[in-house]
PDB file of all heavy atoms in Angstrom:
ATOM      1  N   LEU A 131      -5.822  -3.329   6.175  1.00  0.00           N
ATOM      2  CA  LEU A 131      -4.858  -3.551   7.316  1.00  0.00           C
ATOM      3  C   LEU A 131      -5.482  -4.265   8.462  1.00  0.00           C
ATOM      4  O   LEU A 131      -6.491  -3.676   9.005  1.00  0.00           O
ATOM      5  CB  LEU A 131      -4.203  -2.164   7.766  1.00  0.00           C
ATOM      6  CG  LEU A 131      -3.656  -1.329   6.578  1.00  0.00           C
ATOM      7  CD1 LEU A 131      -3.368  -0.020   7.257  1.00  0.00           C
ATOM      8  CD2 LEU A 131      -2.504  -1.916   5.993  1.00  0.00           C
ATOM      9  N   ASN A 132      -5.006  -5.409   8.765  1.00  0.00           N
ATOM     10  CA  ASN A 132      -5.587  -6.067   9.929  1.00  0.00           C
ATOM     11  C   ASN A 132      -5.006  -5.622  11.262  1.00  0.00           C
ATOM     12  O   ASN A 132      -4.282  -4.527  11.183  1.00  0.00           O
ATOM     13  CB  ASN A 132      -5.351  -7.657   9.787  1.00  0.00           C
ATOM     14  CG  ASN A 132      -6.349  -8.343  10.612  1.00  0.00           C
ATOM     15  OD1 ASN A 132      -7.434  -7.860  11.110  1.00  0.00           O
ATOM     16  ND2 ASN A 132      -6.098  -9.752  10.941  1.00  0.00           N
ATOM     17  N   ILE A 133      -5.294  -6.238  12.352  1.00  0.00           N
ATOM     18  CA  ILE A 133      -4.711  -5.841  13.639  1.00  0.00           C
ATOM     19  C   ILE A 133      -3.282  -5.674  13.697  1.00  0.00           C
ATOM     20  O   ILE A 133      -2.648  -6.392  13.164  1.00  0.00           O
ATOM     21  CB  ILE A 133      -5.326  -6.691  14.727  1.00  0.00           C
ATOM     22  CG1 ILE A 133      -6.697  -7.276  14.422  1.00  0.00           C
ATOM     23  CG2 ILE A 133      -5.130  -6.224  16.183  1.00  0.00           C
ATOM     24  CD1 ILE A 133      -7.789  -6.363  14.896  1.00  0.00           C
ATOM     25  N   ASP A 134      -2.832  -4.651  14.454  1.00  0.00           N
ATOM     26  CA  ASP A 134      -1.446  -4.466  14.739  1.00  0.00           C
ATOM     27  C   ASP A 134      -0.857  -5.837  15.386  1.00  0.00           C
ATOM     28  O   ASP A 134      -1.483  -6.409  16.217  1.00  0.00           O
ATOM     29  CB  ASP A 134      -1.241  -3.375  15.652  1.00  0.00           C
ATOM     30  CG  ASP A 134       0.140  -3.050  16.011  1.00  0.00           C
ATOM     31  OD1 ASP A 134       0.849  -2.295  15.110  1.00  0.00           O
ATOM     32  OD2 ASP A 134       0.797  -3.556  16.915  1.00  0.00           O
ATOM     33  N   ALA A 135       0.370  -6.192  14.966  1.00  0.00           N
ATOM     34  CA  ALA A 135       0.879  -7.502  15.338  1.00  0.00           C
ATOM     35  C   ALA A 135       1.001  -7.618  16.879  1.00  0.00           C
ATOM     36  O   ALA A 135       0.867  -8.639  17.496  1.00  0.00           O
ATOM     37  CB  ALA A 135       2.295  -7.605  14.787  1.00  0.00           C
ATOM     38  N   ARG A 136       1.109  -6.541  17.589  1.00  0.00           N
ATOM     39  CA  ARG A 136       1.274  -6.407  19.016  1.00  0.00           C
ATOM     40  C   ARG A 136      -0.078  -6.724  19.656  1.00  0.00           C
ATOM     41  O   ARG A 136      -0.191  -7.117  20.775  1.00  0.00           O
ATOM     42  CB  ARG A 136       1.717  -4.976  19.500  1.00  0.00           C
ATOM     43  CG  ARG A 136       3.079  -5.083  20.206  1.00  0.00           C
ATOM     44  CD  ARG A 136       3.229  -3.499  20.553  1.00  0.00           C
ATOM     45  NE  ARG A 136       3.855  -3.585  21.931  1.00  0.00           N
ATOM     46  CZ  ARG A 136       3.913  -2.473  22.601  1.00  0.00           C
ATOM     47  NH1 ARG A 136       3.442  -1.358  22.091  1.00  0.00           N
ATOM     48  NH2 ARG A 136       4.427  -2.450  23.832  1.00  0.00           N
ATOM     49  N   ASP A 137      -1.181  -6.242  18.990  1.00  0.00           N
ATOM     50  CA  ASP A 137      -2.381  -6.469  19.616  1.00  0.00           C
ATOM     51  C   ASP A 137      -3.191  -7.692  19.241  1.00  0.00           C
ATOM     52  O   ASP A 137      -4.254  -8.018  19.703  1.00  0.00           O
ATOM     53  CB  ASP A 137      -3.436  -5.147  19.202  1.00  0.00           C
ATOM     54  CG  ASP A 137      -2.776  -3.908  19.626  1.00  0.00           C
ATOM     55  OD1 ASP A 137      -2.134  -3.812  20.756  1.00  0.00           O
ATOM     56  OD2 ASP A 137      -2.857  -2.958  18.909  1.00  0.00           O
ATOM     57  N   LEU A 138      -2.635  -8.321  18.168  1.00  0.00           N
ATOM     58  CA  LEU A 138      -3.362  -9.509  17.616  1.00  0.00           C
ATOM     59  C   LEU A 138      -3.334 -10.643  18.720  1.00  0.00           C
ATOM     60  O   LEU A 138      -2.261 -10.934  19.387  1.00  0.00           O
ATOM     61  CB  LEU A 138      -2.485 -10.037  16.422  1.00  0.00           C
ATOM     62  CG  LEU A 138      -3.077 -10.991  15.533  1.00  0.00           C
ATOM     63  CD1 LEU A 138      -4.152 -10.368  14.566  1.00  0.00           C
ATOM     64  CD2 LEU A 138      -1.943 -11.615  14.741  1.00  0.00           C
ATOM     65  N   THR A 139      -4.480 -11.342  18.849  1.00  0.00           N
ATOM     66  CA  THR A 139      -4.646 -12.456  19.745  1.00  0.00           C
ATOM     67  C   THR A 139      -4.279 -13.660  18.928  1.00  0.00           C
ATOM     68  O   THR A 139      -4.172 -13.675  17.766  1.00  0.00           O
ATOM     69  CB  THR A 139      -6.045 -12.579  20.327  1.00  0.00           C
ATOM     70  OG1 THR A 139      -6.886 -12.862  19.251  1.00  0.00           O
ATOM     71  CG2 THR A 139      -6.542 -11.319  21.080  1.00  0.00           C
TER      72      THR A 139
END
Side-chain angles (χ1 to χ4, degrees):
Chain A
L131 305 176
N132 201 16
I133 317 281
D134 184 86
R136 241 185 140 193
D137 302 326
L138 192 77
T139 64

